[in-house]
Every structure is written in C-alpha cells, then in structure tokens.
Amino acid sequence: MTLSISLIVNGEQKDIALEDPRATLLDVLRDRVGLTGTKKGCDRGQCGACTVLVDGRRINSCLALAASQDGAEVTTIEGLATGDDLHPLQAAFIEADGFQCGYCTPGQIMSALGLIREGLADNDPERIREGMSGNICRCAAYQGITEAVIKGHKAMTDTGESQI
Amino acid sequence: MPDTFPTSGAHTRMGSNSGQPMTRRDGLAKVTGTATYAADNRPEGVLHAVYAMSSEARGQVTSLNVAAALAHPGVVHVMTPENRPPLARDPDSKPGGMALRTEALQDNSVRYVGQPIALVVAQTLEAATEGAALLSPTYAVEPARIGFDGGEAFETDSTGFGSPPTVNVGDIEAGRAAGTHHFDATYETPLQYHNAMEPHAIVAEWDGDHLTIDTPNQAIVMARGAFADYFDIPAENVVLRSPYLGGGFGSKALPIGPQLLTILAARELQRPVKLALRRDQMFGPVMHRGATRQRLRLDMDETGQLTAIDHHTTATTSSFDTFIEGASAASRNTYASPAIATSHSGVRVDTGTPGAMRAPGEATGSAALECAVDEAAEVMGLDPLEFRLRNYAETDPQTGKAFSSKALRECYALGAKSFGWENRPLAPRQMRDAQGHLVGWGMGTALFAAHMNKAEARAVLRADGSAMIATAGADMGQGAWTALAQIAADGLGLGIDQVEFRSGDSTLPNGGVAGGSGHTATAGSALFAAGEGVIRKLADLATEDPESPLFGAGNAGVVARDGRLHRADDDSRSQSYSEILRNAGVEELEGKGEGARDPGHAEARAMFSHGAVFAEVKVDPELGQVRVTRLIGAFAAGRIINPHLARSQLLGGMIWGLGFALMEEGIHDKRTGRPVNGDLAGYHVPVNADVPMVEALMVHEDDDFVNPLGVKGVGELGITGSVGAIANAVWHATGVRPRSFPIHLETLIG
C-alpha cells in the first residue's frame, strides 16, 4: 500500500509516495528527499542528532513516522543558510568551536534554533546547558556549544530573527 | 568565578600558519550539513543491509528462519554461515601488529551478545530491518561468563596490541622494606563503550575486482590493506574514502565483521550495499574498554618519598581473543621511585573483544594511580600537590632516560594558581556551599606518551605558485583538516589559502594512524618534509639561475616565506615561486616526505605529554549526588599547532574523564551476558548540563627531540589525570574514598 504525503521541507513542497509506512521522518528526509545533513545517532530519541524543526518546534525526527507528518513544515540544517550567508547560529558554532567531529552538529544547531525560538535560551548559560542536554556531543564540545548559542542568540536578537 | 575562561594566549608561531588559532577549515561543511559521512552516500541502486545479532552470549545458533525473511517484500538476500562466500583471510586470523579477530559468519557459534549471525539485504532499510527480525533464531545456549569472578583467569603475554605486560625497575622487595609507611588498595573500572555519535557504517560497491568503500576509518591506508587481504585483491584495487569520521576514539581502525559481510553482499548482488550499525549494535562487535581490577601498593619513607610502586592489573577480554587494558603502565613513567613493579593478567568473559579506547591503558591506569597517590598523601599527612612534587620524576622512572621535555612542574603551578588550590583545607568535609552541599577539591597528574607512527606525504608546487599537498589523514574531530593543512602550508612557505590540502582517501600517500595522539606529529612531519622537498628543488633552480636575484645563494641558503624565496643573508633579495618556475621552464615541482620518530632520539630520550588537572565537586549530603562544578587542567604537550582546536581536544578529554568518573558503565547481565544498558539512555555519557565550567590551559614547551616540528599530542592527555582529580575531590568533599568507577552515589551516603 502506497501512502502519499506532502511535506514542506525548507520552504519547498515535497510530494512523497511512501511505499513503506514504517519509514521515519528521518529516513525519508535522508533517503527520499536526499537531505543527509540530518543525522542518525541512535534511532530512538536518545541522542538528538536527528533534531529538525517541525512547524517551528524541535523534534527528534527518528521518533516521528513520516506518514504522521503529512502537511508539516519541516526545517532541516540545509534550510538555514541563505546562499553563502550562514545563519548566525551556524557562524557562531564555527567561531566558538562548538563541535569537533561534526556528526551531532546539525542536530545541535537545529535544537539551538528551537530553544531560542521557544524563548528558553534567555541568554543564560545554565538554561542553555539544560535546554541543550537532549543533544549529546560525544566529543564533548559543550562549552563551545553553549558559547555558540549565546553568540548566535545575540546575533539573532540584533537582527530580529529570534522572534517567531 | 567567571563562567568561562579566555583561551591562553602564549603560543609560539611556526611559520605563518602554525600556532594560529584558526577555526576549522571543515567548519562550513559541518554546520551546513554538507559534510559527507559514510552513511550519507547514496549511490544509484543502493541496497540496505541489516545484520541480525545474537541475543545470547555463548553457544550455537541452531536455526534461522531464512525462508520467512526472504518472503518479506523487499528482501533480496539473506547471508548466513551456510551460504556466506569465502573470505581470503580467515576472520579468526591475526597477522600481527594491529589486528583483532572478528566475527563474519565463519560458523554457527556465538561468542557474545550482539555478534552478527546473519545479514539481510533489502530494497529498503525498513524491509531489511523486518527481515532480520523474521529470522527468529534458536540457540543451544551455554552459560554466560561475565565479570571478574565469572570468567576464566589467565596469564597474558601482552597488553594492548603487543606491549609487554610486565616491566620491573629496581628491587621491589627492597623498596617495600625501605618504606616506613604503606598503602595497599584495589580499584575497579567497568567496561566502557566508545559510542561515537556516528555508528559504524559502510557503503560498498564493486566494479569487477575493484572495490570502493565509504567507511569511517582512523588508519585509512592500513585498513585498505586489510580489506584487500580479506578479498584477495591488490591493495591498490581498494579505494577507501573517509573524509569525515563522526568520532572514532579508537573503535574505527580495524575492519569488523559487519563491514566484511556488507562487502561480500555487494559482490554477490553486484549492487552497492549500505550498512549502518544501530546504536544497540555499538555494544558488541566494535570493541570497548575492558574492565579492570587494579591493586596498587605504595610504600613511602618518612619524608613522603616513594620507595616502591607495585601496580597489578587484571583486565577482562573476550573468550576468543586477547586485548588487555594495559593499566599498570601508568605507574612506569609518572612518579619517581627506586623500585617499580608493573604486571597484568586477564579474565576471559563472553563479550566482544575489547580494544583501543581513548587513552587505552592510560585512562584506567591513571584513574587508579592518581587515587592511590592521593590516598598515600593522606597517609603521610601531606597536601596532594606537595606529595606529587616530592615524588616528581626528573628522569623517566622506567628507563632512567632524560625526558625530551617536561614542563609538568609549570603545569602544577599554573593549574594550582588558576584553581586557587592554596586555599584548600587538608582534611575532608571542611567546605560547604550556600545550599549546604559538601564541596571538595582534588587533583591528578596527566600523562600520555608522545607516540609517532609512520606516514608519507606528497606535495606539488604548481606554475601559478600555489600547491597541492596530500596525505591520507583522518579527521575524526581532532582537527586534522585544519592543523595538518597549517603545517603543510608552513612546509611550503605558503599562506594556507594557497594550499590545496587533500586527505581522507586511500588513493593518497599513507597518512598513518589517527591514534595514540600521534597523528599531528606523524602526518604533520610527513607533510612538512614534503613541502621542504619542494622548496629544496625550487632553491636549486633559483640559485643556479644567473638571472635570479638568488643566484649563487647556495651556500648562504634561502628562506621560503609567503610564496617567495629570500636569500638568508639578504632578505631584500627574493623571487616568487611562480617566477622561479617560469624562468626555469618547469611546470611543476614535486616533493615527497616521510614522518617517523628519529631512532636516535627515541633511544636517547623518554617522550611524554604532561598535565595537571584540578577538580571541584559539590555533593548533596542527603542524596550523594555529585556535580563537577569546576575542572581546570594545565597541559604541556610540545608545540601547539592550533591552540583553538587543541583546547577543544583537551576539554573533550577532560569531559571524558568526567564521564569515566561519574557515569560510564557498560553493564552486562550476569546470567545472560546481555547489555543491560546498551543504548544512550542507559549508557550515560556527559551531556551539556553536566559540564558547567571546564578549562584547559596550555604551558609552552619546546622539544627538540620528539620530531622537527616539536609536536607531541593532545588527543588522549585530557582524560588522564581528570578521573583521579574528580574522585579525589569527591573524597575531599565527603571523606569517602571512591575505589570503584563510576562513583555511585549510594557509596557516598550512609
């Protein structure tokens, strides 16, 4: 049985014929839409590497069945930069060395964006650490991540981007 | 206390690139999601593989319902021991050097939970996953042997990949007798699993007898050779691409069974096949850190000088291979003592085979040694730093050799000052914070050998004065794309933007192993030498050209800088690289370089990186909950190529120490051998909220012996010292001596 779903991915409509209803949003993004920036670290919602925004809120895309997301607006790491212009959070992650191997980084950045948009970052390192703790970084670039969220948040506030 | 510290600024420049805190050159790719990790490759027509894993720890698989799996829509192939095509190299062979046995369906036996027992290949990942579940294996189960007291004890003839298990210095009995104060305790560390964020993955594709594999690997050319051996093809027929590793930590160097099976399936089906391990499969065939039980006996004279160090380790390994965590080695080189005895033995348990995991041996050994030394200081009534200084090793205790460089005293001083150690009360349970939490301060010495392996590099200077330079290096997050390019550019006397640095691919010269904290030193030396080779040829062209301002400078020599050669004795006389090439009618110049330790220097000097780590913990007196509130390390590791990235490496290592001390513990059920916490919800690693304030300070160190670059290594240094520092702080807060890791809160209350 084929299920037809439609996703708005980074502003573009994607009509997808799902031959297999068991496919997760993560696997559909990676294997069907071809956006492999979103990573699979655990496939069970324990590491945060697959974090994307769905309708503006951060979720673990490995825990969402694609079939249940019909009509959703999905933002992935590929949707943040405008041409060659990095999103302020992306630039801040580079500047603060908020990663090493980079595998968790797309999820970290999407989670940071969600956190800021949820109004939970509050420019407070302690709240950021707590709010980013669903995203494991085995290289343990945590200090850089926290610094990047503060810097990125500030840059977003300056340009008005942190408003929903 | 500030929330963050500024980066230490004292770094020597080498050329115009090294020594600079450049951001990562691969940063753009990594923050935009365009960095291609192995599983991101999607060749046309790719099939998906999933391996079925044993749910039993020991015995035989007696049946698999292959028909059910094959009947599932989308499943195209099921590989079992019955139909697995032959491998040219026996997966149970160990051809020496860095090699371990692996499980690739060689028979029906089961050696540990998580072992591959079949491979299912399908059109989709979902179908392959379902197909693997439909195999419904049955087993003839034998009792699992788990834990130090559950397995078979044996004497080992090696630790790690072939290191000597026993090293003795002086007369241990005489040393013991010379002591007036004695300390004797046993420490335990658990199994730990690497758990890189990127699970092991491979995409394999054949073209005739040529194999292309995308798979993360820390030793690209070495692994290419091993893969070629398994498939009986020349090494040059294998292309292994590994531009980015999503973490390695020692687990991604040796071929493992699931990779071999995927390659076999790709050949059988004549289609590209992809396999990515599930997180629960990261607790079986991809190595781990074996558990250790370490007995430390320290003897001191009345002044607090050690007269004997006796360190014996028992470590777990698998039932079918031997990799012993060489923990006792930590006691060979850290503290001065006229008598040192270090030895190891093993226990065989029904887990996968352990292997190298970040600071193999050193991490566990340092944890126990630093705790023991702290306890010995308490026996002597001495401040732990004072005790360490009284036992400072001016020469290498194991060999008696001079150190190539050792700024540990400076590390102690800088770390102690930054931390505020001088205000530390000697007795435990003296400090509380405003919330009534017990506060404790502890410290540990960090030590890691300055290893080098062997690497090669090739550089080509082009007509336009830019250059290409290449080595098959591996960036698993440590920053090779950046730091190696910095060194390469300096070797060529060019700005980094004039250099195209190629790496991460087996078609390039052997970049050696990204392991043992020796990659920057080794591959960096090869790259620098390749650049120098080009410059030598270029200098010959210029100094022999009567039209060149450098003509006749052969004796005085030339200096390469910013794309120009300058006379060494007259800086104003110079010529650009491109002009030299053009005038000589030469299109391009090639240079080759090798990186390896100078044998004479290796014979003459002992070579280690050092550091001192200081920890503050707060412990809830009611609940025993431990929080690390400050962790400050000061490290001396030779010349630092990129302080920005070296700091990140050191911080990462220190936080691994935090995880070791308080969280990480692979628990296998004693009855079944199954991992009880085989995922990231159960196997705890530090998350952001666990890491409030951590800082790595760097102490400048010149070293003329380790290699011409003066580079040691920082990848594993941070974890050593940190575990002990945290455990000792827990004692200082609570008065309870942790002797088992991770430190469980129930041991701190009562």
Side-chain angles (χ1 to χ4, degrees):
Chain A
M1 183 184 74
T2 300
L3 280 170
S4 291
I5 64 164
S6 179
L7 301 171
I8 313 289
V9 182
N10 301 329
E12 270 184 54
Q13 180 162 338
K14 302 283 177 186
D15 297 318
I16 297 157
L18 274 186
E19 294 89 1
D20 198 320
R22 295 167 295 192
T24 63
L25 177 60
L26 171 62
D27 286 328
V28 165
L29 286 172
R30 288 176 54 80
D31 286 338
R32 298 294 305 278
V33 183
L35 296 176
T36 56
T38 307
K39 296 292 183 265
K40 185 184 286 188
C42 71
D43 215 17
R44 51 176 72 179
Q46 298 168 346
C47 78
C50 66
T51 305
V52 298
L53 300 189
V54 170
D55 298 331
R57 295 188 70 81
R58 49 187 178 153
I59 67 160
N60 290 317
S61 61
C62 73
L63 290 185
L65 285 173
S68 70
Q69 301 299 317
D70 188 19
E73 195 165 320
V74 182
T75 310
T76 72
I77 191 70
E78 290 92 344
L80 292 197
T82 311
D84 289 340
D85 291 335
L86 292 181
H87 186 279
L89 271 172
Q90 292 173 311
F93 266 75
I94 294 177
E95 195 187 332
D97 213 31
F99 55 91
Q100 293 185 32
C101 82
Y103 195 80
C104 73
T105 310
Q108 299 279 357
I109 292 174
M110 297 314 295
S111 191
L113 184 59
L115 184 80
I116 290 167
R117 293 219 174 132
E118 289 154 28
L120 295 175
D122 207 24
N123 211 19
D124 172 357
E126 194 59 37
R127 289 188 68 173
I128 290 168
R129 287 179 196 123
E130 195 65 37
M132 292 295 292
S133 280
N135 292 80
I136 296 175
C137 170
R138 185 57 158 157
C139 303
Y142 293 123
Q143 200 164 58
I145 291 167
T146 303
E147 194 182 322
V149 177
I150 293 171
K151 282 185 176 173
H153 186 199
K154 183 172 184 316
M156 289 168 68
T157 307
D158 292 348
T159 58
E161 276 182 70
S162 62
Q163 307 304 315
I164 296 172
Chain B
M1 203 67 206
D3 197 56
T4 55
F5 272 58
T7 308
S8 168
H11 302 292
T12 300
R13 286 190 173 200
M14 179 193 73
S16 56
N17 302 290
S18 298
Q20 300 223 40
M22 292 180 176
T23 55
R24 289 172 197 272
R25 302 188 93 206
D26 47 342
L28 187 70
K30 286 179 174 175
V31 301
T32 53
T34 53
T36 308
Y37 299 81
D40 298 339
N41 289 285
R42 303 182 307 126
E44 186 68 32
V46 69
L47 295 169
H48 296 263
V50 167
Y51 79 79
M53 58 185 231
S54 167
S55 58
E56 302 296 338
R58 187 177 168 213
Q60 302 279 323
V61 176
T62 48
S63 73
L64 289 166
N65 194 346
V66 174
L70 282 172
H72 187 75
V75 171
V76 297
H77 187 61
V78 176
M79 193 185 293
T80 71
E82 303 296 313
N83 67 347
R84 193 267 269 161
L87 287 164
R89 174 175 148 190
D90 178 358
D92 275 321
S93 69
K94 283 178 76 169
M98 263 179 69
L100 289 175
R101 298 190 169 101
T102 191
E103 298 72 58
L105 305 179
Q106 51 263 53
D107 53 40
N108 289 320
S109 69
V110 168
R111 297 162 160 180
Y112 58 89
V113 173
Q115 178 193 310
I117 56 172
L119 186 81
V120 178
V121 187
Q123 302 284 357
T124 64
L125 176 62
E126 293 77 24
T129 302
E130 187 68 24
L134 289 167
L135 288 170
S136 308
T138 59
Y139 304 86
V141 180
E142 294 173 54
R145 299 160 298 188
I146 294 294
F148 287 110
D149 306 314
E152 171 203 346
F154 70 103
E155 295 308 311
T156 184
D157 57 6
S158 70
T159 63
F161 292 110
S163 299
T166 304
V167 170
N168 295 322
V169 178
D171 183 339
I172 195 71
E173 290 308 327
R176 205 163 277 153
T180 54
H181 295 71
H182 311 282
F183 172 75
D184 183 349
T186 299
Y187 301 86
E188 290 196 2
T189 67
L191 268 72
Q192 297 172 346
Y193 285 90
H194 302 73
N195 275 312
M197 293 311 297
E198 177 203 29
H200 294 57
I202 184 169
V203 179
E205 185 165 12
W206 287 88
D207 178 7
D209 62 352
H210 285 69
L211 169 66
T212 301
I213 45 181
D214 293 291
T215 193
N217 195 281
Q218 297 175 232
I220 291 172
V221 171
M222 184 189 87
R224 175 188 70 160
F227 280 114
D229 288 348
Y230 282 113
F231 296 96
D232 197 23
I233 52 176
E236 53 272 20
N237 285 18
V238 179
V239 175
L240 192 165
R241 297 183 296 210
S242 178
Y244 305 105
L245 294 83
F249 311 117
S251 74
K252 288 177 179 166
L254 306 176
I256 53 165
Q259 290 172 313
L260 303 178
L261 299 176
T262 306
I263 296 169
L264 281 173
R267 198 176 60 188
E268 284 291 289
L269 301 167
Q270 288 296 303
R271 292 267 296 272
V273 179
K274 178 192 292 195
L275 176 139
L277 266 60
R278 292 196 312 261
R279 180 57 57 181
D280 58 327
Q281 294 174 330
M282 298 289 284
F283 292 77
V286 296
M287 306 192 288
H288 62 277
R289 197 195 296 284
T292 70
R293 181 178 276 171
Q294 303 178 52
R295 184 181 182 192
L296 263 296
R297 282 180 282 180
L298 304 179
D299 303 276
M300 293 77 67
D301 68 16
E302 291 190 345
T303 67
Q305 301 259 346
L306 288 160
T307 59
I309 302 173
D310 188 344
H311 192 161
H312 179 75
T313 298
T314 304
T316 60
T317 192
S318 69
S319 65
F320 55 94
D321 204 344
T322 300
F323 184 102
I324 294 293
E325 179 80 358
S328 298
S331 286
R332 295 170 185 163
N333 315 97
T334 312
Y335 297 106
S337 173
I340 299 173
T342 58
S343 54
H344 297 81
S345 57
V347 173
R348 297 201 177 282
V349 296
D350 295 315
T351 64
T353 303
M357 176 164 158
R358 200 171 195 172
E362 292 87 352
T364 45
S366 164
L369 175 64
E370 291 306 313
C371 286
V373 163
D374 218 76
E375 296 202 51
E378 185 196 0
V379 168
M380 300 308 303
L382 289 171
D383 172 84
L385 175 54
E386 172 59 24
F387 183 80
R388 285 172 173 84
L389 286 168
R390 286 192 192 186
N391 291 288
Y392 194 86
E394 302 290 353
T395 56
D396 176 30
Q398 178 180 350
T399 61
K401 294 176 189 174
F403 288 104
S404 59
S405 59
K406 180 178 180 178
L408 175 58
R409 210 173 249 114
E410 292 80 352
C411 294
Y412 284 142
L414 178 63
K417 183 165 180 286
S418 305
F419 186 85
W421 183 259
E422 63 180 3
N423 299 318
R424 176 183 179 276
L426 194 57
R429 288 187 81 95
Q430 300 298 305
M431 300 191 291
R432 291 205 183 224
D433 72 1
Q435 285 77 44
H437 290 150
L438 297 161
V439 179
W441 292 356
M443 66 166 298
T445 303
L447 174 117
F448 197 85
H451 294 291
M452 284 182 77
N453 48 83
K454 287 190 174 152
E456 298 161 3
R458 176 172 171 265
V460 176
L461 182 66
R462 297 159 173 156
D464 65 357
S466 71
M468 185 288 297
I469 187 160
T471 191
D475 196 327
M476 50 185 171
Q478 84 278 32
W481 276 118
T482 311
L484 292 182
Q486 288 177 266
I487 296 170
D490 282 346
L492 286 158
L494 286 170
I496 199 162
D497 293 332
Q498 268 69 58
V499 176
E500 179 201 344
F501 174 50
R502 294 184 191 163
S503 179
D505 175 335
S506 69
T507 61
L508 304 173
N510 187 357
V513 183
S517 299
H519 197 40
T520 307
T522 309
S525 293
L527 289 161
F528 195 79
E532 284 187 319
V534 167
I535 298 301
R536 263 196 307 277
K537 289 184 185 173
L538 192 67
D540 286 347
L541 293 179
T543 57
E544 288 163 14
D545 174 7
E547 304 293 315
S548 169
L550 302 171
F551 180 65
N555 290 332
V558 297
V559 175
R561 194 174 72 238
D562 295 335
R564 299 182 75 81
L565 294 186
H566 300 252
R567 274 185 77 118
D569 57 354
D570 181 358
D571 198 60
S572 68
R573 294 171 69 181
S574 70
Q575 192 171 24
S576 75
Y577 295 177
S578 55
E579 195 179 334
I580 297 169
L581 291 176
R582 191 164 56 246
N583 291 352
V586 173
E587 270 299 302
E588 58 179 41
L589 281 181
E590 185 187 35
K592 290 185 174 173
E594 293 185 1
R597 175 70 31 83
D598 179 303
H601 288 168
E603 186 59 36
R605 290 287 192 282
M607 303 178 184
F608 294 89
S609 296
H610 294 89
V613 182
F614 295 82
E616 176 183 87
V617 302
K618 294 188 176 179
V619 183
D620 185 317
E622 312 284 313
L623 302 174
Q625 188 189 37
V626 180
R627 303 281 296 170
V628 176
T629 45
R630 289 193 291 147
L631 195 60
I632 297 178
F635 301 96
R639 179 174 274 134
I640 300 300
I641 297 300
N642 185 321
H644 194 54
L645 307 192
R647 175 173 171 269
S648 290
Q649 277 276 83
L650 289 164
L651 293 179
M654 291 165 73
I655 296 165
W656 269 56
L658 192 161
F660 188 128
L662 300 179
M663 297 166 199
E664 294 194 37
E665 182 175 26
I667 303 168
H668 288 253
D669 183 275
K670 287 203 162 104
R671 294 158 301 175
T672 63
R674 286 176 201 147
V676 173
N677 58 345
D679 59 39
L680 289 173
Y683 185 89
H684 290 177
V685 300
V687 299
N688 206 324
D690 295 315
V691 183
M693 207 299 279
V694 51
E695 189 46 85
L697 307 167
M698 277 169 255
V699 171
H700 177 76
E701 196 172 59
D702 289 314
D703 194 315
D704 296 332
F705 299 97
V706 282
N707 48 63
L709 302 174
V711 169
K712 291 179 173 176
V714 294
E716 292 156 285
L717 181 62
I719 187 171
T720 68
S722 297
V723 185
I726 292 166
N728 296 333
V730 167
W731 166 76
H732 192 240
T734 62
V736 177
R737 282 290 183 186
R739 287 184 179 162
S740 181
F741 292 98
I743 300 167
H744 285 185
L745 52 80
E746 69 270 19
T747 63
L748 303 177
I749 48 179

